[in-house]
Amino acid sequence: MGTGEDGGGVAADFFEAAIGLLRDVAQAEAESIAAAGRLLAGTVADGGRLFVFGAGHSSLAAQDVVYRAGGLAVMNLLTVPGVVGVDVRPATLGSALERVSGLAGAVLGTSELRAGDALTVVSLSGRNALPVEMARDARALGVQVIGVTSVAYATQTTSRHPSGTFLKDHCDVVVDNHVPVGDTTLASPGVPAPFAPASTVVTSALMQSVVATAARELADRGIEPPLLRSGNVDGGPEWNARVMTEYRERIFHS
């Protein structure tokens, strides 16, 4: 953790910490990122649909790859009312809902997910009932699951699920974001608690790397990846209309 004592020093410390985490992930998780990208590409090539889920702040990284310029048009957000970001009041309700057993099954039972699809579950701790059961129950439906999580939580905390398992225990591919337990990067004299979380920065970059890998993999297979372009560049809206029409049966955000 950094110890910068002035505003500029602390800012530099945070950037250094975040960049360090990004380097760690790029080096240590290269094989896992490649495997996740291949899984997504294979699902698209086989006619399956792509979904992504995250609760609380983990939803930010999930949402970052949905309906995104430069991203795959067929990536869909699996939503659970009350846990998508911090969109409820009090915000603590969202945290409480993450610990409710059975909620994931109810959501999956009424969702568009089916066998042959792929679901990416983003959860920093991976210890709460919702991400654990989301992955477990999705696999029971014949859905392939990618888990994006901090594996450190599985050794430094206890699971909140009755099974004692974590998200990582119910996935076909696990990508570790290497974020430390507690999701903070800095400590400074006079500041009573560690601060400066970096999980959104790191996990969003990780998610984009997986999607980019999937696009490259599709191209290598001779399949034009269904990428979206910015709606603010000339020709962008027309391009997107074509892609979304071609893949309309696999897109649930339009």
Side-chain angles (χ1 to χ4, degrees):
M1 290 189 180
T3 57
E5 296 184 2
D6 59 82
V10 168
D13 284 346
F14 174 73
F15 281 114
E16 181 179 353
I19 291 168
L21 284 169
L22 288 167
R23 286 178 176 146
D24 289 346
V25 170
Q27 294 172 3
E29 300 302 313
E31 292 185 8
S32 296
I33 290 169
R38 287 193 301 268
L39 190 155
L40 294 185
T43 301
V44 174
D46 292 340
R49 295 89 57 81
L50 307 182
F51 294 83
V52 60
F53 166 77
H57 286 93
S58 290
S59 183
L60 300 176
Q63 293 180 60
D64 195 47
V65 294
V66 176
Y67 188 55
R68 184 66 188 265
L72 295 172
V74 292
M75 184 68 75
N76 302 281
L77 185 67
L78 183 64
T79 60
V80 178
V83 303
V84 182
V86 287
D87 62 337
V88 294
R89 293 183 64 186
T92 51
L93 173 60
S95 297
L97 289 173
E98 287 187 59
R99 304 178 188 182
V100 175
S101 183
L103 181 56
V107 170
L108 290 172
T110 57
S111 74
E112 301 287 347
L113 269 170
R114 66 188 184 195
D117 292 343
L119 171 65
T120 300
V121 179
V122 185
S123 174
L124 179 60
S125 73
R127 69 190 297 229
N128 290 312
L130 185 54
V132 169
E133 294 181 3
M134 191 68 76
R136 182 198 67 185
D137 295 357
R139 291 182 87 192
L141 293 172
V143 173
Q144 293 189 88
V145 176
I146 298 168
V148 179
T149 187
S150 170
V151 174
Y153 276 83
T155 58
Q156 299 179 39
T157 70
T158 56
S159 172
R160 288 189 175 127
H161 191 262
S163 68
T165 61
F166 287 76
L167 167 62
K168 73 175 186 63
D169 300 315
H170 302 279
C171 300
D172 297 282
V173 176
V174 176
V175 188
D176 186 358
N177 61 21
H178 291 237
V179 172
V181 172
D183 190 17
T184 53
T185 59
L186 301 182
S188 185
V191 180
F195 59 106
S199 61
T200 302
V201 173
V202 176
T203 308
S204 292
L206 193 160
M207 291 292 293
Q208 292 296 347
S209 74
V210 170
V211 172
T213 301
R216 180 68 261 172
E217 177 72 17
L218 283 167
D220 290 344
R221 296 182 184 206
I223 300 171
E224 179 183 312
L227 295 168
L228 294 172
R229 291 188 174 185
S230 172
N232 295 313
V233 300
D234 292 342
E238 293 78 15
W239 172 282
N240 293 341
R242 176 185 65 81
V243 171
M244 294 181 76
T245 296
E246 181 178 350
Y247 285 89
R248 60 183 177 275
E249 294 183 357
R250 293 195 250 177
I251 295 173
F252 304 100
H253 53 70
S254 61

